[in-house]
Amino acid sequence: MKDPSHILKELELKATPKRLAILDILSRTPTYLSPDEVWTTMKERFRAIGLPTVYRNLEDMAGGGVISKVIHPDRKLYYFFCGNREHHHHFVCTSCRRVDDLSFCAFEEIEKEVSQNLNATISSHIMQVFGTCSDCSAGKGGYR
């Protein structure tokens, strides 16, 4: 991972100890985490940290693209660190929580469909594909 202080500075976010800790937690975890899970880990390092502080920092960093959101089929919001700064999408295993990069993007086809059939313009897009990874399908259990 690139120097966390430098990553935050690029986003014009102050490199506070709490933001650095959140980046450290997420970058060391190969799966997505809920804000509550991040908060529980943060409480080991910072005794006086509230869940709203964790949410605010997660959202600040997600807004800048440092971390990514997983809008899970269970309707809960999760976060993960993805060091890949190239345009890509993700496969999310709903069993072990693993997140893998996908290099395929069908945006041009979708953009054409939206333009022609809806007479609309797309401003951005996010694609996450949910399923079960090969390890979980084979009963190996993945990362959990």
Side-chain angles (χ1 to χ4, degrees), residues 16-75:
T16 66
K18 291 174 184 170
R19 284 185 181 139
L20 293 170
I22 289 171
L23 278 179
D24 180 58
I25 291 164
L26 291 175
S27 69
R28 292 176 187 265
T29 307
T31 63
Y32 56 84
L33 297 173
S34 71
D36 285 334
E37 290 167 323
V38 174
W39 179 55
T40 299
T41 305
M42 293 286 288
K43 287 192 297 185
E44 295 170 8
R45 299 182 194 187
F46 304 93
R47 289 189 179 191
I49 185 167
L51 186 55
T53 299
V54 172
Y55 268 104
R56 186 179 60 254
N57 282 297
L58 287 167
E59 282 299 310
D60 286 347
M61 289 186 279
V66 172
I67 58 177
S68 297
K69 293 182 190 183
V70 172
I71 302 168
H72 200 275
D74 67 8
R75 295 185 177 188

Side-chain angles (χ1 to χ4, degrees), residues 3-10 12-21 23 57 61:
D3 174 37
S5 297
H6 185 69
I7 291 171
L8 292 170
K9 195 175 286 187
E10 286 177 355
E12 298 179 5
L13 292 173
K14 189 174 179 181
T16 66
K18 291 174 184 170
R19 284 185 181 139
L20 293 170
L23 278 179
N57 282 297
M61 289 186 279

